[in-house]
Amino acid sequence: MAATELRGVMGPGPTAMAAPGGGGAGPPMVGGGGAGGRGDSGPGSGAVQSTVAAVSAGGPGPGAGGVAAAGPATAPPAGGSGGSGAGGSGSAREGWLFKWTNYIKGYQRRWFVLSNGLLSYYRSKAEMRHTCRGTINLATANITVEDSCNFIISNGGAQTYHLKASSEVERQRWVTALELAKAKAVKMLAESDESGDEESVSQTDKTELQNTLRTLSSKVEDLSTCNDLIAKHGTALQRSLSELESLRLPAESNEKIKQVNERATLFRITSNAMINACRDFLVLAQTHSKKWQKSLQYERDQRIRLEETLEQLAKQHNHLERAFRGATVLPANTPGSTGSGKDQCCSGKGDMSDEDDENEFFDAPEIITMPENLGHKRTGSNISGASSDISLDEQYKHQLEETKKEKRTRIPYKPNYSLNLWSIMKNCIGKELSKIPMPVNFNEPLSMLQRLTEDLEYHELLDRAAKCENSLEQLCYVAAFTVSSYSTTVFRTSKPFNPLLGETFELDRLEENGYRSLCEQVSHHPPAAAHHAESKNGWTLRQEIKITSKFRGKYLSIMPLGSIHCIFHATGRHYTWKKVTTTVHNIIVGKLWIDQSGEIDIVNHKTGDKCNLKFVPYSYFSRDVARKVTGEVTDPSGKVHFALLGTWDEKMDCFKVQPVIGENGGDARQRGHEAEESRVMLWKRNPLPKNAENMYYFSELALTLNAWEAGTAPTDSRLRPDQRLMENGRWDEANAEKQRLEEKQRLSRKKREAEAMKATEDGTPYDPYKALWFERKKDPVTKELTHIYRGGYWECKEKQDWSSCPDIF
């Protein structure tokens, strides 16, 4: 019994205690070449991956695909596919295939190489030595056969290759080789996951580890003290029992004393075993504690050195920028200047539809200068036949000119204050941007509500859409309006003010442009703004946008959540869509620049028509046009009627897609020259005002948004004091006022929380915060809970009855 209990107490012993091991490494970086899509991408990251994969393969030999594809060893006929690669090339298969590029160029002949689980393509075999046009990783790709000669390779939407072989036999050879290469690539990916290096421990984990070590040391000291006490009291108990046993007592008492003595002996043996185990654990913990502390100190020193280096780089960069601005004057045609170069057309982008043009490499975003006489405004709804250069009627143009005279055309120039960005942002990595206290130095003198209202800058697109009888043509204009809302962001790298809870902004353009708009901040955390705009030209626009943002160190991601609704009164057509992700690059070092990426699906809930817009992310290695947007307008059956092409910062064109009878009697895509004949420009960006670079790159509409107007609500953004002080160049006072307003808002929030807690304790009902002009209800179309305009604002403005407005400023 004693032995059994002893084994139970001892357990597995100290040998069962394993030293802490490292976590497995994360998945390897797997990427494709450039933006991909249906158009040819430039020499993207796939070129780099192909090179690395070729080097890793160890020189000549079969590629990662492990496929010796059947086929003739000699060169194939024109348009055919090659056989397996030569031993020196290391490729599993290479040859000619036809790749779908776009509706303008159709299928183009390209040289494809399958090697090391990657499928890369080039314009010619000779181009393999210097330029890769795109690469797709087969480990994450799906291979689908369309018909006898066509097949599709896609990696989940980011890249899709529509390919055509010269014959069914050639197609089957390629598909077989691709499937085998994919299987081996998946296997290699799994093996690399298992054998990867240990993931680096984040700063939070290191802090937690240090606290754990400190606690462990304290507990081990307590355990050592307890061990000493057990040994001391055990010896005293043993001595007392021995003395008791030597006394003359009845036989029954002697038997009991003997049993107690045996149990005390067992307790002593167990205690000694535990003491030995604790001693071993203490030695092990101390050994590893020293290693951990040494590693932790090394990582801490590395972090400090990195911070000092980055801070020094930021200072040097700021110094160089100031020296450059003070020593040189940019010529008119230099990127970044918008002076006399304003009247010249930008020629840097070339023809978006011609992939054979030798377009320049874009290694940094440039400021695009625009012509003043755009000639893009027109009336009518017949997209397929109307000219894109018909201007507005003279009466409307005269009305616009009169309106412009009444609105302000400039604001005080932005002061040139230097600020060390890294000293503020280094402790904010990974945090929600709206919760970071930021000085006004990073802001522009507009609130988020005013930025939301800027979506209406090209409201005339919705006016034209309201006149369209054809729902597909109407959808083209709605898509152009969606893209146009991003054109104001191309140079706007400053952050708008976060609205206070209950803050509003109105824009009354009923007489000049036929619409009026109202925004209200309906939630503070997460920040959410509701927007309602209505036009007497036959449309209503409403949205509730929640902004989530993350600072990632090198860049800032801004993700708007929520649906945008556009309803046309005459037909009852109801469109919805969501916004794409905005990314601000070069946060620490370099010139700030903005990119938009993602997809937008615009749905007509009445007819079932859809438009898919793709915002192609910017790539340093791509020869494709920067800030490119492509789209397709389809009917409920999925048939494409219009193709959209353009850039989100300049213009959007549409092409009417006419079905062409294919070789096998089926429908094929339209030829390039036929699509070109039907090109119609839907939208073109207005030029920026003169000296816009000194006024935060505001557009003509943005310059008017913060102008004081009589009769607005006391919660209007125009009356916000810190924003007004910043616009006037008094930034120190603006920072102090901003802190006062934020503290006032925090006290109001704490008061509401205290009232809610008291109501919960008392069991009395408590009404949470409710927006003043918007009501939260389920949307009948999207079934989402959203804030919809309840009415009453314009009536209160007419009466000048603002008694229900809170005091937020």
Side-chain angles (χ1 to χ4, degrees), residues 301-319 419-429 551-555 586-590:
D301 294 342
Q302 288 288 91
R303 178 195 173 193
I304 293 172
R305 279 194 291 271
L306 180 60
E307 284 186 358
E308 291 174 350
T309 303
L310 279 174
E311 191 165 358
Q312 188 66 27
L313 280 172
K315 288 179 180 177
Q316 291 175 2
H317 180 78
N318 290 336
H319 175 73
L419 184 68
N420 189 344
L421 178 63
W422 177 245
S423 64
I424 296 175
M425 300 297 287
K426 65 182 180 182
N427 296 320
C428 303
I429 297 176
F551 175 54
R552 306 293 186 183
K554 292 172 63 177
Y555 63 91
N586 291 347
I587 294 292
I588 304 303
V589 177

Side-chain angles (χ1 to χ4, degrees), residues 2-13 266-267 269-271 273-274 277:
T4 304
E5 289 186 3
L6 180 59
R7 283 196 299 270
V9 172
M10 292 290 290
L266 180 60
F267 174 75
I269 295 172
T270 306
S271 299
M274 189 186 73

